[in-house]
Each structure stands twice: as structure tokens, then as C-alpha cells.
Amino acid sequence: PPESVPPHAFCCFSSCSSWLPQRVPLQGSHWQSSLLESRTSLPVRAQPKKKKKVDVKKEQAQKERMKKKLKKLEKAAPELIPIEDFITPLKYTESNRVRSLPALSPEESERRVLLLKKWCLFKQKQDKAEKKAIQALVDSQQEALQELQLESEELYQAAIRRDEGLFPFERDGPSYTPPLPGYDPPEGKCTDITKVYTQ
Amino acid sequence: DALLGCHRSYRSRPTHGIGRFKYLLPKEVPKRRKEKVQMKEISAGTEYQYGDLNIQMTSYDLCLVEHFAQHVHRLCNRLSIRVNESYAMPTKTNEVLFLEERGSKMQLDAVLTTHQRVVQIRGLSSTFAPILLEVIQSNQPEGVHLLIKEHTEADFKSRLKSRPELEELLAEMS
């Protein structure tokens, strides 16, 4: 509405922006014509103005509804995806079949117990050797660092710092057999059928 | 309240509080409400110490990866390295199809499940890190893929369920 009226006409008007032109003494006929334009444009603008108001209200209501929905969804805490490994499938709990083992002779059970003891001893030796190796590694490392410190302080400080290029560290496990040379695998594809959980 | 639990309260009589029995029952622990899954703070670590590190073990074999994760956890306990969490990532299932020699149809070969276990450690000193890596590598079983990386928010978010409605609303709002 104020677009049709020239801007400097407003300096005479009150601060509360009423677009109705006030009874102010105007000078010049061009102003009168502009006022007339604004007057005639009043009824023309009435219709679209209503639509705008209703639209604005509707939009606001919609926005508020969306905000409420968002708040409700955000209130619910995020859930962890259930891990299928830890859920026993039902078919293993339904059946009642029991395994019947044959009876062991005393020699057999004696042999088994002695074998178990030998295995325990072997594993204990292995574990002790591993611990000893770790301790030896740590000791030699400390000794080397002390010597380095005596040699030069700068290098010692640089050696103590953490290595940024170490992570991420990736390594494949060893394999029983190396890959066959010249093996031609059949054509095929691999599809991911993991179940997608949504909250 | 203890003595007046029963409606018969004759305080002068010797039979006062005769119906009491609650004091004889074992103390009930108040039921804990389900704690909200919240992300713990990720430490960045100092110059001489690493922050939160994730040791991720992946394999097709469940028992192997489970036992290896237990072994790594116990090793860290023994070497007094602080273990924040030890959890399992959701399993991924893959369907392997191959093309038959004579024919155009894809035949189902196998359904493989990939399992992943994560052991999260904090405060690993820079001098001890290579030793730990050596020990873990020497004990690594066949078929188990090892990956050690720093813990990020994205890693934590990958464990949570996706919320398509929330994302849609957020996209509409902005």
C-alpha cells in the first residue's frame, strides 16, 4: 500500500504506520493524483490482502504443528540396533531333544584328565613366555629412551611424542593357504540383505 | 510409619505392631528406569597419550571373533590399559550368488554373516602403543580382520537406529 505514495510524503504522517493518507495539507497536484490512485487502489487490494492473511495464518499453524511433531520425536531417546548374534533363534528353544553320550571307561577318563593337565601346563608356559617377552620389550625400550635422553634432549622429546600416522591401522588375519595363482572365479555378485531397523 | 502400618494401633497394649512383616522381607532395590543412550565424551588425548581408540575385529566366524575380543579385553586389563567399552556392532548379512557354468540364472551359493566386535580403550601411552600392536598381531587368528582407529561421533551414530521421520522433518524445516 505505501508503494504508490512517494516516500517523502510519510515524513508528515504519524509513526504508527497507517497506510491511509492523513489529512495533511498537500502541495502540488501530482500528490493529489497519487492520493487518488491510492484511494482507488484500496478496494482492489482488499481481496488479495485477505488471502495473504489466511495464508500466513495457515502457514504459521502448519509450522507450529511441525515444530510440535519435531519436539515429540526428539524427546524419544535414540535406540541401539539390536544385535542378532545375541538373540537365539526360536527353533533352538522349541525342540527338547537330548544328546545321549556313551559311557567313558576309567582308562579313557584318566587319559583325558592327564591330557588336560599337560595342555594346561603348556598353555601356562606359553602365557609366561609372552608376559616375559612383553616385559623384555618394555625394559629394552625404556633403556633405549634413557640412552637417547643422555645423548640429545631434542630427539628424546620427539621420540616420546605420539605418532599421528599410526592410526588407522589395518591388518588382515593370516590365512591357512595362500591364494591360488591363476584361479578364475565364477562370475557372481554379493548382495547385502541386512535388516534395516528404523525407530 | 513402620509400627503404624497396620490399622490396629493400640500403642499402650503389648500387641502393638502385631501385624508387621515388611521388616522381615529382603530389601527391594528400587527398579531402575531405562537409561537413555547418550554418547560419552570422546577424549582427544594429549601429546604423549592417545585418546579414545577403537579396536575393531571383523570376521565371518562368530566364535573366533568373540574369543579374540575377550582375549584382547583381558590383555588390556592385564596391562592396566583403561577399557571404556566392549561392545558388538550389528551383524551384516551378505548373499553370495554366482552365475552357473551353463545357464544364465544366478544361483545362490551361500549366505554369509559378518560379525564385528569393538574394544574401546583410552589413555594408551605413545611408547607402549607399538608393543601392544605387536602382541595383538601375534595373537590374531585366521580370518579375523583387525582395524584400530580413533573413536568418532560417526562411529557411535552408526550403532543407533535410523530415524527417517525425524530426518524428513528436519529437512522440511530448513
Side-chain angles (χ1 to χ4, degrees), chain A residues 63 66-67 69-70 73-86 127 130-131 134 137-138 141-142 145 157 159-164 166-176 186-199, chain B residues 36-37 44-51 53 62 75 78 88 90-99 106 115 117 126-129 131 133 135 137 139-149 158-166 169-170 172-173:
Chain A
K63 269 195 179 175
M66 274 178 39
K67 276 190 189 170
K69 250 193 188 177
L70 199 76
L73 283 175
E74 276 186 347
K75 255 194 188 178
E79 287 169 30
L80 289 174
I81 301 176
I83 296 165
E84 292 152 16
D85 297 343
F86 303 149
D127 194 41
E130 198 181 314
K131 282 187 187 168
I134 295 173
L137 275 172
V138 169
Q141 198 185 42
Q142 288 298 321
L145 281 171
Q157 287 298 323
I160 290 278
R161 268 171 209 283
R162 73 188 222 187
D163 188 7
E164 302 297 337
L166 190 58
F167 303 112
F169 175 77
E170 214 170 320
R171 191 197 176 220
D172 274 326
S175 52
Y176 283 109
E187 301 242 342
K189 64 177 177 184
C190 202
T191 46
D192 193 8
I193 50 170
T194 326
K195 188 172 167 192
V196 173
Y197 291 91
T198 50
Q199 193 172 3
Chain B
K36 277 191 182 176
V37 175
T46 62
E47 280 179 357
Y48 309 109
Q49 269 189 356
Y50 295 94
L53 289 172
L62 175 68
L75 191 77
R78 204 162 17 119
T91 34
K92 298 186 186 161
T93 327
N94 276 327
E95 214 177 39
V96 180
L97 308 147
F98 73 94
L99 194 64
M106 287 286 214
H115 309 269
R117 298 285 181 271
S126 51
T127 49
F128 194 67
I131 299 176
L133 284 181
V135 174
Q137 275 178 80
N139 286 319
Q140 197 177 353
E142 297 84 6
V144 173
H145 181 84
L146 181 72
L147 169 65
I148 306 178
K149 60 192 269 285
S158 65
R159 287 173 77 190
L160 301 171
K161 285 187 188 169
S162 67
R163 296 157 112 180
E165 302 137 350
L166 191 71
L169 271 176
L170 280 169
E172 266 185 69
M173 291 284 279

Side-chain angles (χ1 to χ4, degrees), chain B residues 23-62:
Chain B
Y23 70 100
L24 294 170
L25 296 170
K27 277 269 160 82
E28 231 182 61
V29 177
K31 198 178 172 186
R32 252 192 174 177
R33 265 194 217 163
K34 229 183 178 183
E35 280 171 11
K36 277 191 182 176
V37 175
Q38 254 182 1
M39 196 182 77
K40 296 179 192 168
E41 276 178 34
I42 304 174
S43 75
T46 62
E47 280 179 357
Y48 309 109
Q49 269 189 356
Y50 295 94
D52 283 336
L53 289 172
N54 273 2
I55 306 176
Q56 294 174 341
M57 295 151 276
T58 325
S59 173
Y60 294 120
D61 190 353
L62 175 68

Side-chain angles (χ1 to χ4, degrees), chain A residues 7-27:
Chain A
H8 54 271
F10 265 94
C11 53
C12 328
F13 293 4
S14 54
S15 58
C16 57
S17 54
S18 57
W19 53 272
L20 284 165
Q22 308 246 326
R23 300 266 176 96
V24 174
L26 298 159
Q27 295 130 27

Side-chain angles (χ1 to χ4, degrees), chain B residues 9 15 44 51 71 79 88 125 133 142-143 161 168 170 174:
Chain B
S9 50
T15 56
H71 174 75
L79 300 170
S125 68
L133 284 181
E142 297 84 6
K161 285 187 188 169
E168 262 177 40
L170 280 169
S174 57

